[in-house]
Amino acid sequence: MALLELHNVHTYYGNIHALKGISVTVDKGEIVTLIGSNGAGKTTTLKTISGVLRPKEGTITLEGRRIDHVPAHDIVAIGICQAPEGRRIFPRLTTLENLEMGAFHRSDKTGIQQDIERVFALFPRLKERRTQKGGTLSGGEQQMLAIGRALMSRPSILLLDEPSMGLSPVLVEAIFQIILDIHAQGTTILLVEQNALMALLVASRGYVLQTGRIVLHDSAENLSENEMVRKAYLGES
C-alpha cells in the first residue's frame, strides 16, 4: 500500500479545470518529484493534498485512509505538512515562534523542544537567528524557516513547493542537501520544483505535469534521459 495515493483527482478554481484526472503514488521512504512549467498544476496538486483545495472528483488516501474531505488543519495532525511556495512565514514572529507555530496541534512539550533542536541542527543559521523577526531574515533563511516549521508537525510526508525559488545557486545547493538530510532521517517527501535538474538528482521517481495532466511517470534517472524532458525542462536544445 502506498503511503500517499491520488486517484483520478479533478480540481477546479471556479470554472477552471486545473487538475484533469491525475493519479500519483508516493511510497514510504521515497522522494517523489512533480515537474512541469508554470501553470501545469504542480502547486494545485499540493494544495489539493493538503486540503486547501477540494477535489470535485477522485480520491486521496494516506495509508489507505481517505483524506480528500478532511479539513486542512486535521490533515496536518494526521501526518501531511507543506512548506508552501513563497515561504509564507509569519513576519512579525521570531524564528523560534514561527517554529512553535508549526507544532500548533501538539501538546508534547518535551517532543516539541526535541524537534526544535532537530531543526536547529539541520539549519544552524536559524539557531543563530532564533530571536530575530521572521520578516527580517534573508530569502534563504526564510526558506529554511518554512521547511523547519513544516517539520515541527512531525509529518509522515513532507510537501515542498518550489524550495529553490529566488535563491542563489549556492543556496539552492544547500537547500537540496538539506532535503537529502531530512530524507535520510526518515521523512518521505513530495517535491514540486521548477529546477528539474536538481529535483531529478534527489528524487527516486518523478511525474511530469502539463496543463493539469500527467504526461510522463518514470524513475528519476529515466526522466533525466528522456528527450522531451531534456528539451522542455533541462534546457537542452
Side-chain angles (χ1 to χ4, degrees), residues 6-10 19-24 41 45 209 212-214:
L6 287 71
H7 177 69
N8 192 35
V9 169
H10 294 255
L19 297 182
K20 303 168 183 175
I22 71 166
S23 295
V24 172
T45 300
L209 274 169
R213 291 186 172 90
I214 291 169

Side-chain angles (χ1 to χ4, degrees), residues 110-198:
T110 300
I112 290 170
Q113 187 57 45
Q114 289 172 347
D115 286 343
I116 288 172
E117 294 306 320
R118 176 197 177 198
V119 170
F120 285 157
L122 283 165
F123 304 102
R125 201 174 303 178
L126 294 184
K127 186 172 186 178
E128 295 171 7
R129 288 157 174 71
R130 60 191 299 157
T131 61
Q132 192 170 323
K133 292 285 195 293
T136 66
L137 301 177
S138 70
E141 291 163 352
Q142 289 187 15
Q143 185 60 67
M144 295 172 189
L145 182 54
I147 295 172
R149 182 182 60 187
L151 288 173
M152 288 300 300
S153 71
R154 284 195 179 175
S156 55
I157 181 164
L158 175 65
L159 311 181
L160 296 178
D161 195 355
E162 304 286 7
S164 75
M165 180 181 287
L167 302 183
S168 69
V170 171
L171 278 175
V172 168
E173 289 197 11
I175 288 293
F176 273 93
Q177 182 55 57
I178 289 164
I179 290 170
L180 288 173
D181 292 343
I182 291 167
H183 176 250
Q185 292 180 4
T187 302
T188 303
I189 296 171
L190 179 57
L191 169 66
V192 159
E193 180 56 61
Q194 277 197 299
N195 187 332
L197 179 62
M198 292 296 292

